[in-house]
Amino acid sequence: MSDEVTIPSVESVSGTGVAIRGNDIDTDQIIPARFMKVVTFDGLGEFAFFDQRFTDDDSQKEHPLNEPAHQDASVMVTNANFGCGSSREHAPQALMRWGIDAFIGESFAEIFAGNCLALGMPTLEADTETVETLQSWVEANPDGEIDIDVANETVTYDGKTVDVTVDDAQRKALVEGVWDTTALMKANAEAVRETAESLPYVEDGKRV
Amino acid sequence: MSEGTLYDKVWDRHTVTRLPTGQDQLFVGLHLIHEVTSPQAFGMLQERDLEVAYPDLTHATVDHIVPTSSKERPYTDDAAEEMMAELEANVRESGIEFSHPDTGEQGIVHVIGPEQGLTQPGTTIVCGDSHTSTHGAFGALAFGIGTSQIRDVLATGTIAMEKQKVRKIEVTGELGDSVEAKDIILEIIRRLGTEGGVGYVYEYAGEAIENLDMEGRMSICNMSIEGGARAGYINPDETTYEWLEGRDRVPEGEAFEERKKYWESVRSDDDAEYDDVVTIDASELEPVVTWGTTPGQGVGVTEPIPEPESLADDKVETARRAQKHMRVEPGETMEGYPIDVAFLGSCTNARLPDLRRAARLVKGRTVDPNVRAMVVPGSQQVKKAAEEEGLDEIFIEAGFDWRGAGCSMCLGMNEDQLEGDEACASSSNRNFVGRQGSKDGRTVLMNPRMVVAAAINGAVTDVRTMKEVTINE
Ligand code: SF4
């Protein structure tokens, strides 16, 4: 039953990083549409950034996600407008299944960030310089540990702590463990019905 | 914060409560579903033993994976067949109405919603598809959502959202000959950027918008998402009401007049407050085409392609990469850019008036022998109506392939795909690398008449230089 689902709070994320450079990286790149012909999200991880990672005859190209040193990375460091384009949740699902738990970037497309939140993955934002410095560090230190503190909006690495920002609603949802909105909203079923019936175009839960 | 706008009013009417996250819980008046983004959500529902809360406010269609050559089942592509079968089972078990191909009402979700009168002013509409913004053309609040949110809506009839800012985009003046709604939105995205709308919904207003028919308004709202805005809308007016009257699912007679009062009441007030206002003069526009690999990389058809260095700092690298991919040089124009494929279709531009305008240009001409050209109507109803007017014959005679309804080459999830490095003149909305099915493919976005002009000449053409023929309609 929905009421019994416990939603873990996500106060912090720790792990090594991987840098994906470039602005406007769209979800068609993150997961090409041909891999969306599936009825479950299982197994999408191996197709993350597929066309950037593999040639036509499936041999590996140079790409951060192909590098052995980055195979255990759990923090993806990106630039501006990451995840733009299609609303496909397949994109964050693929990255999550590849192993990513959190994103630090200059900015994220809104639907992408919303989809990440629904999976309990924070999308933290920082200015260009902060992000680029972190990207370079991650590239030079693939086994370097990054500690994200969601509640306090900081990222610690290389012995220093930098400020990042998290959208208020996202922070609250993650830290308080209320990011699974299905359970949260299901509890208001009666109020939902009242709102519905107050609308001129709904009657008894049907369109009129 | 905005006040007195349609966005504020419709938001308030649909707010159930404020959630502990600070988000509002909004009631969803219409939930549209399709085969690509819904099966996982139904799966999550089953895992938790939940039922669809408002099946009567939910409507399904199939569009992304349907073959456009034949309706025959099983589909030759096993994966497509599995997705279709899954959708059929889900809607059957949940009692959800389905515009199945056998009903003659199937089509792209953003074409069939309005067409069947499901899309109405003052309602909230969601769908697991980013171009849900299209429905804003009717003065609805319409958002694309992800699969976890689809689960929310299926299970609760509501969605958790944060209120956004409202930017009014005032499009003044009159559009020139052969300049269309599509050019307005490409221009808006070019000026404000692909991320310019992040945090905003766009209200499109002004003389040029009011003068558009509903199909043109849909083309504009459709691409709000390409401009970074989660939603876009246009205040409903007489054009809207006339379009809706008499459609299935729209109240009739007195009930229609009654409903119209509600629709009028949600219009933005004359003294509404906006978070931002931008003005664009429509009379200055020429047909816009993209030269790059984001919808913001557009240029007037006779204007030079920009030097990457002349763009904002954060755009330089993307522009360089895009120009390399597209094989264009700064300083050149897009006019004359050779194309291999022409695609007239998608939820941006595959409605009846789009096809009519294109047909007027095609009549009496033929497609360049080196071009593979196809017309993919947005819905079965559009296709039927076009055939009743004889538009199919005009296209077929000219050498176009006349196909069944679906998303088709807009994203290449069925067999309609670019091959190798083919260049495509496309009336769709996204020119991302790989979007049309080949990672080396090159997409040039443009209005539908520009697409057929390119098909005829084998290269991007300024449609204003071509005469059109009058067809008896
Ligand atoms: S036509 Fe293209 S943009 Fe529209 S719903 Fe289909 S795939 Fe998406």
Side-chain angles (χ1 to χ4, degrees):
Chain A
M1 286 297 293
S2 62
D3 307 339
E4 289 160 21
V5 175
T6 44
I7 313 163
S9 69
V10 183
E11 287 169 52
S12 58
V13 177
S14 297
T16 60
V18 58
I20 301 290
R21 289 190 187 259
N23 295 333
D24 299 308
I25 291 188
D26 56 77
T27 50
D28 280 88
Q29 289 178 54
I30 299 172
I31 182 89
R34 62 183 188 280
F35 300 117
M36 289 168 57
K37 286 200 216 165
V38 289
V39 293
T40 80
F41 290 129
D42 302 343
L44 280 186
E46 57 184 297
F47 303 123
F49 283 107
F50 193 87
D51 290 340
Q52 271 77 43
R53 287 166 61 199
F54 299 96
T55 62
D56 287 342
D57 53 13
D58 282 351
S59 54
Q60 290 204 353
K61 296 203 265 196
E62 213 174 286
H63 190 276
L65 295 192
N66 284 345
E67 279 166 35
H70 284 309
Q71 290 315 303
D72 296 325
S74 51
V75 178
M76 186 165 274
V77 191
T78 64
N79 298 99
N81 201 26
F82 186 79
C84 62
S86 137
S87 66
R88 58 187 72 159
E89 186 167 314
H90 304 67
Q93 286 275 2
L95 296 174
M96 181 176 83
R97 282 157 207 275
W98 187 87
I100 299 302
D101 297 324
F103 298 86
I104 304 171
E106 289 175 58
S107 63
F108 297 89
E110 255 162 69
I111 301 183
F112 181 82
N115 283 337
C116 288
L117 177 61
L119 302 174
M121 293 196 287
T123 47
L124 307 109
E125 299 185 342
D127 59 47
T128 309
E129 200 189 327
T130 305
V131 166
E132 286 179 355
T133 311
L134 179 56
Q135 285 179 323
S136 304
W137 184 80
V138 160
E139 284 160 354
N141 301 278
D143 52 2
E145 189 79 0
I146 301 171
D147 294 309
I148 296 173
D149 184 334
V150 178
N152 292 312
E153 301 183 76
T154 59
V155 171
T156 303
Y157 70 99
D158 196 20
K160 62 180 176 188
T161 299
V162 296
D163 288 334
V164 292
T165 54
V166 192
D167 170 80
D168 283 347
Q170 183 188 124
R171 189 180 65 234
K172 222 166 157 11
L174 290 170
V175 172
E176 293 177 16
V178 289
W179 49 271
D180 185 331
T181 39
T182 302
L184 209 57
M185 296 198 294
K186 187 81 187 152
N188 301 332
E190 194 41 49
V192 172
R193 234 183 316 274
E194 277 166 28
T195 306
E197 296 308 317
S198 76
L199 293 165
Y201 66 95
V202 186
E203 212 175 284
D204 287 336
K206 294 187 170 62
R207 191 179 313 109
V208 285
Chain B
M1 275 317 260
S2 61
E3 225 182 279
T5 69
L6 179 141
Y7 179 67
D8 295 291
K9 295 183 194 184
V10 178
W11 185 281
D12 288 348
R13 292 283 307 232
H14 291 77
T15 300
V16 176
T17 185
R18 173 68 48 94
L19 295 168
T21 53
Q23 294 165 302
D24 284 333
Q25 181 174 3
L26 279 193
F27 181 73
V28 171
L30 172 66
H31 183 196
L32 296 164
I33 59 175
H34 65 60
E35 76 283 12
V36 182
T37 51
S38 72
Q40 301 85 354
F42 279 102
M44 296 180 202
L45 227 56
Q46 275 152 16
E47 272 169 31
R48 297 195 189 185
D49 200 17
L50 293 170
E51 288 186 354
V52 177
Y54 291 92
D56 293 315
L57 298 178
T58 312
H59 192 98
T61 188
V62 58
D63 47 13
H64 287 64
I65 53 99
V66 282
T68 54
S69 46
S70 150
K71 284 196 310 205
E72 209 175 303
R73 297 283 296 276
Y75 297 146
T76 44
D77 177 350
D78 291 344
E81 177 61 28
E82 189 191 356
M83 293 174 86
M84 176 62 161
E86 183 89 6
L87 183 64
E88 288 172 321
N90 286 332
V91 296
R92 199 181 323 113
E93 280 158 27
S94 306
I96 293 168
E97 205 180 349
F98 182 15
S99 290
H100 190 280
D102 294 345
T103 63
E105 303 216 312
Q106 172 265 342
I108 306 173
V109 63
H110 313 307
V111 176
I112 68 143
E115 185 172 82
Q116 300 184 20
L118 288 159
T119 301
Q120 294 180 18
T123 60
T124 45
I125 301 177
V126 303
C127 175
D129 193 285
S130 51
H131 291 100
T132 308
S133 57
T134 313
H135 306 259
F138 291 79
L141 287 194
F143 306 100
I145 56 177
T147 295
S148 298
Q149 289 172 302
I150 300 176
R151 179 191 65 195
D152 284 352
V153 184
L154 288 174
T156 71
T158 60
I159 180 168
M161 278 192 104
E162 258 175 289
K163 212 169 162 195
Q164 302 189 302
K165 293 185 278 190
V166 184
R167 173 178 290 145
K168 183 180 190 177
I169 302 184
E170 181 104 29
V171 190
T172 59
E174 264 182 59
L175 279 177
D177 259 1
S178 298
V179 187
E180 302 192 7
K182 178 73 163 282
D183 302 303
I184 296 180
I185 187 64
L186 284 171
E187 180 68 20
I188 289 173
I189 300 166
R190 169 197 184 186
R191 286 202 205 170
L192 302 181
T194 47
E195 71 278 37
V198 173
Y200 286 93
V201 300
Y202 282 173
E203 174 177 311
Y204 304 99
E207 188 191 346
I209 301 291
E210 285 157 20
N211 287 340
L212 292 173
D213 60 10
M214 290 314 296
E215 288 79 5
R217 295 180 187 188
M218 285 188 252
S219 301
I220 293 198
C221 290
N222 176 272
M223 292 188 70
S224 303
I225 189 78
E226 271 64 52
R230 184 75 179 269
Y233 67 87
I234 294 167
N235 281 300
D237 60 11
E238 286 304 321
T239 307
T240 321
Y241 311 142
E242 267 170 40
W243 202 91
L244 287 171
E245 195 166 10
R247 288 188 188 262
D248 289 353
R249 300 180 182 85
V250 174
E252 294 170 51
E254 253 176 62
F256 182 83
E257 294 307 319
E258 211 28 61
R259 187 61 52 82
K260 207 162 122 178
K261 284 186 200 150
Y262 170 63
W263 296 343
E264 281 282 294
S265 76
V266 298
R267 280 175 55 91
S268 295
D269 297 333
D270 290 338
D271 59 355
E273 282 173 35
Y274 297 88
D275 299 285
D276 191 27
V277 179
V278 172
T279 306
I280 285 182
D281 182 357
S283 61
E284 288 173 359
L285 301 186
E286 61 173 11
V288 179
V289 293
T290 55
W291 51 261
T293 54
T294 81
Q297 291 169 329
V299 68
V301 63
T302 65
E303 263 180 82
I305 297 162
E307 292 278 353
E309 290 71 23
S310 70
L311 302 170
D313 283 355
D314 59 335
K315 299 273 168 273
V316 176
E317 196 39 51
T318 321
R320 266 197 214 119
R321 248 186 294 134
Q323 293 186 351
K324 188 163 164 242
H325 180 87
M326 295 299 292
R327 297 192 227 131
V328 296
E329 293 290 333
E332 291 177 351
T333 65
M334 284 305 287
E335 200 176 5
Y337 184 80
I339 60 134
D340 309 294
V341 178
F343 172 62
L344 177 52
S346 95
C347 59
T348 318
N349 278 125
R351 299 182 179 82
L352 191 57
D354 298 319
L355 303 190
R356 279 188 191 140
R357 281 195 310 276
R360 281 202 288 268
L361 199 67
V362 167
K363 180 138 181 146
R365 296 190 163 102
T366 46
V367 169
D368 183 286
N370 296 318
V371 172
R372 182 153 70 91
M374 61 169 92
V375 184
V376 184
S379 71
Q380 291 180 326
Q381 285 197 38
V382 169
K383 183 172 186 185
K384 186 160 161 253
E387 287 173 353
E388 279 163 10
E389 291 179 12
L391 302 185
D392 55 330
E393 282 165 30
I394 296 175
F395 284 116
I396 292 166
E397 254 170 50
F400 282 86
D401 201 359
W402 177 253
R403 302 181 81 92
C407 295
S408 177
M409 204 188 267
C410 175
L411 90 166
M413 260 184 98
N414 70 353
E415 73 280 15
D416 306 338
Q417 306 194 349
L418 291 185
E419 284 162 27
D421 65 355
E422 280 179 334
C424 178
S426 182
S427 67
S428 58
N429 47 39
R430 286 185 175 147
N431 52 345
F432 300 143
V433 172
R435 171 73 178 181
Q436 295 192 289
S438 163
K439 65 182 168 48
D440 299 317
R442 295 166 289 149
T443 302
V444 186
L445 301 178
M446 57 189 80
N447 81 41
R449 297 178 81 244
M450 289 283 288
V451 169
V452 294
I456 291 159
N457 294 319
V460 175
T461 304
D462 183 352
V463 70
R464 294 171 300 180
T465 62
M466 291 171 75
K467 278 219 186 66
E468 67 176 42
V469 179
T470 318
I471 308 170
N472 295 332
E473 274 163 11

